[in-house]
Amino acid sequence: MQISRMFEMLYILLSRERVTAAELAGQLEVSVRTVYRDAQALCEAGVPLYAERGRDGGLSILPTYKLNKAVLSDEDRRCVLSSLTALAQTGASDAATLRKLTSFFGSPAPDWVQIDMADWSGRQDLLLATLKTAILERQLLGFDYYGESGRTSARRVCPTKLWFKGHAWYLRAYCLDRHAIRTFKLTRIKRAQILPGAFPPEALTAQADDTPSSDWEEPPMCPVVLRVDGCMAFRLWDDFNEDEITRLDGGGFLVRAAFPPGEWILSLVLSYGAHAQVVAPDELRTAVKETLQRMLPRYKD
């Protein structure tokens, strides 16, 4: 308890030029006598702590202490604080830890990035908090999951980590129902809750051997060629890489890309409306035609 209190005192003194014993006593919830006793212990441990008398007096640490005790370069400290700033915004790092290291390093944390994993509705806040608790405290997790067919299934998993792949967040976990590591898209997870019980040995073994690519095998890619009108340029840079886009003389674009197979390719093409035309493959051209034919009767009076 005393060691923890002394570290807290050190954090406070590093972040401020001078602090009175009464202020420290109030923040640490101890007596002024205890503050002076802890201050003496810090001095004996090699911390250059000194006291100034008078109305503006108080306890201080020599300014050079921050530099003399630093074991990291300026660039190292900047990288650490930058990383923790980003992690603190996702909830993966505690903001208190960031404040403590900022005090130790003697420099402010750079405000260079803002990360918000929640959706615009705010409904994902509870899910993210539940996932974080389950992962860090190694607790079982239960939820309903929407598969590609649209059907839901109840899952019980041993969560390992959150994984960002492409444009979406996923949960890596050992599925107790499938007896294997699985990847679950966060937007398809519903009604997540922490369950009682511990991770079984089989889950611990699977997680120890797991890497992000162990069960994420890239499917055979389907080459696709699209002709897109110039008015959809703002979409192209979101959906495709620069080297996949060729600007045509007429103001439009030719896109040559490759995608994993699936219905989502058809959805992507249709999302461009009348401003995109499938050049190849013929199978995708046929699928677009058939889909439009099935849609047309829905819009007849």
Side-chain angles (χ1 to χ4, degrees), residues 39-200:
Q40 180 62 35
L42 287 173
C43 288
E44 294 174 355
V47 178
L49 185 65
Y50 64 95
E52 293 183 355
R53 297 180 180 276
R55 185 178 63 179
D56 297 327
L59 296 173
S60 301
I61 294 179
L62 289 175
T64 55
Y65 178 72
K66 299 181 181 69
L67 298 178
N68 291 339
K69 290 297 182 180
V71 296
L72 302 174
S73 67
D74 290 342
E75 181 62 25
D76 291 335
R77 294 196 296 272
R78 189 159 49 247
C79 288
V80 170
L81 294 177
S82 296
S83 299
L84 284 178
T85 299
L87 288 173
Q89 294 187 46
T90 67
S93 173
D94 194 285
T97 302
L98 178 60
R99 289 195 299 270
K100 292 175 183 178
L101 283 178
T102 298
S103 298
F104 267 128
F105 292 160
S107 58
D111 185 14
W112 71 284
V113 64
Q114 182 171 345
I115 301 175
D116 188 353
M117 292 174 61
D119 57 8
W120 289 105
S121 68
R123 288 191 295 267
Q124 272 198 324
D125 290 347
L126 180 58
L127 172 61
L128 292 172
T130 301
L131 295 179
K132 176 186 175 181
T133 299
I135 292 171
L136 295 181
E137 299 183 8
R138 300 183 70 82
Q139 295 180 314
L140 298 180
L141 190 68
F143 53 82
D144 293 332
Y145 189 71
Y146 280 88
E148 293 185 358
S149 65
R151 297 181 179 178
T152 59
S153 60
R155 298 297 187 97
R156 295 174 303 121
V157 304
C158 303
T160 302
K161 67 185 68 174
L162 287 182
W163 184 28
F164 188 77
K165 175 79 172 179
H167 301 285
W169 284 96
Y170 299 85
L171 172 68
R172 296 280 293 180
Y174 180 84
C175 182
L176 296 175
D177 303 295
R178 303 295 189 270
H179 302 287
I181 295 288
R182 288 291 184 265
T183 303
F184 303 94
K185 195 171 184 178
L186 256 58
T187 52
R188 298 181 183 179
I189 294 176
K190 308 298 179 183
R191 293 169 288 281
Q193 58 180 332
I194 293 176
L195 303 176
F199 288 14

